[in-house]
């Protein structure tokens, strides 16, 4: 089992073999004013409305590596590979108005999962995932194995 490290302050992903990649964790959310009220995001797995948050700090595991050539997911959203983790965090649920747009926070918190490492060819932001540099996802994924650790600081 290898340990990889993502530093949110420097945007550096350092793999166990010592290679370093510039990655980002930019999120458009209500708190930073970059998410419109009609762009409602939903938690995984419960599908409740929330304002996306950045990848949580902690020590996580790599749960799976999915190659687009095998599962045919949307390349524009994920690039050529999705690296799944067990990262999670508690997030606040939002109520919606009569148009289905964000209205106000409810004070209720739920567990949000589904934090990945992936490219994002159509956008410079993600819903909290670590965005790998374009056209480097396959190279990075080839240096990771299911069961590896990902330390996020």
């Amino acid at each position: 089992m290898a340990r990889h490290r993502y530093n949110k302050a420097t945007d550096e992903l350092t793999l166990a073999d010592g290679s370093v990649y510039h990655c980002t964790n930019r999120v458009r959310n209500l708190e930073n004013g970059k998410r419109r009220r009609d762009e409602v995001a939903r938690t995984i797995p419960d599908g409740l409305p929330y304002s996306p948050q950045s990848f949580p700090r902690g020590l996580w595991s790599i749960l799976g590596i999915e190659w687009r050539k095998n599962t045919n997911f949307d390349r524009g959203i994920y690039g050529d590979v999705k690296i799944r983790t067990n990262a999670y965090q508690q997030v606040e649920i939002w109520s919606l108005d009569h148009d289905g747009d964000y209205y106000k926070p409810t004070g209720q918190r739920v567990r949000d999962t589904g934090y990945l490492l992936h490219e994002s060819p159509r956008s410079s932001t993600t819903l909290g995932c670590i965005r790998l540099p374009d056209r480097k996802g396959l190279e990075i994924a080839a240096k990771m194995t299911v069961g590896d650790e990902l330390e996020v600081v």
Side-chain angles (χ1 to χ4, degrees):
M1 170 178 20
R3 182 177 285 188
H4 314 285
R5 186 173 197 257
Y6 177 65
N7 184 319
K8 292 170 79 165
T10 62
D11 285 335
E12 288 183 340
L13 174 65
T14 304
L15 300 183
D17 69 358
S19 56
V20 178
Y21 297 87
H22 178 78
C23 299
T24 59
N25 188 221
R26 284 189 221 106
V27 177
R28 288 184 309 109
N29 61 24
L30 296 166
E31 293 83 354
N32 65 20
K34 295 183 179 183
R35 179 163 291 278
R36 294 188 330 250
R37 293 226 173 244
D38 65 345
E39 295 179 309
V40 177
R42 298 193 175 266
T43 61
I44 297 173
D46 296 327
L48 299 169
Y50 82 115
S51 180
Q53 302 299 306
S54 68
F55 202 103
R57 296 184 195 297
L59 185 60
W60 309 108
S61 295
I62 303 298
L63 297 181
I65 300 174
E66 295 180 24
W67 309 94
R68 188 175 65 85
K69 66 182 180 184
N70 297 337
T71 58
N72 202 30
F73 49 76
D74 187 334
R75 185 181 189 289
I77 296 173
Y78 300 106
D80 290 316
V81 65
K82 290 192 242 180
I83 302 168
R84 296 198 171 278
T85 73
N86 67 342
Y88 70 91
Q89 63 185 315
Q90 296 291 316
V91 296
E92 185 167 29
I93 300 308
W94 280 67
S95 62
L96 303 179
D97 66 16
H98 64 282
D99 292 324
D101 299 339
Y102 287 110
Y103 178 56
K104 63 181 179 179
T106 65
Q108 177 188 2
R109 299 183 75 76
V110 297
R111 183 180 173 126
D112 183 43
T113 65
Y115 292 92
L116 309 171
L117 288 80
H118 63 85
E119 296 171 353
S120 187
R122 282 192 215 139
S123 176
S124 63
T125 64
T126 69
L127 292 176
C129 297
I130 295 171
R131 184 181 185 276
L132 302 175
D134 289 339
R135 295 176 298 283
K136 294 290 185 180
L138 296 174
E139 180 180 320
I140 292 168
K143 297 178 179 184
M144 294 182 159
T145 303
V146 171
D148 283 358
E149 295 178 327
L150 174 66
E151 181 182 17
V152 179
V153 298

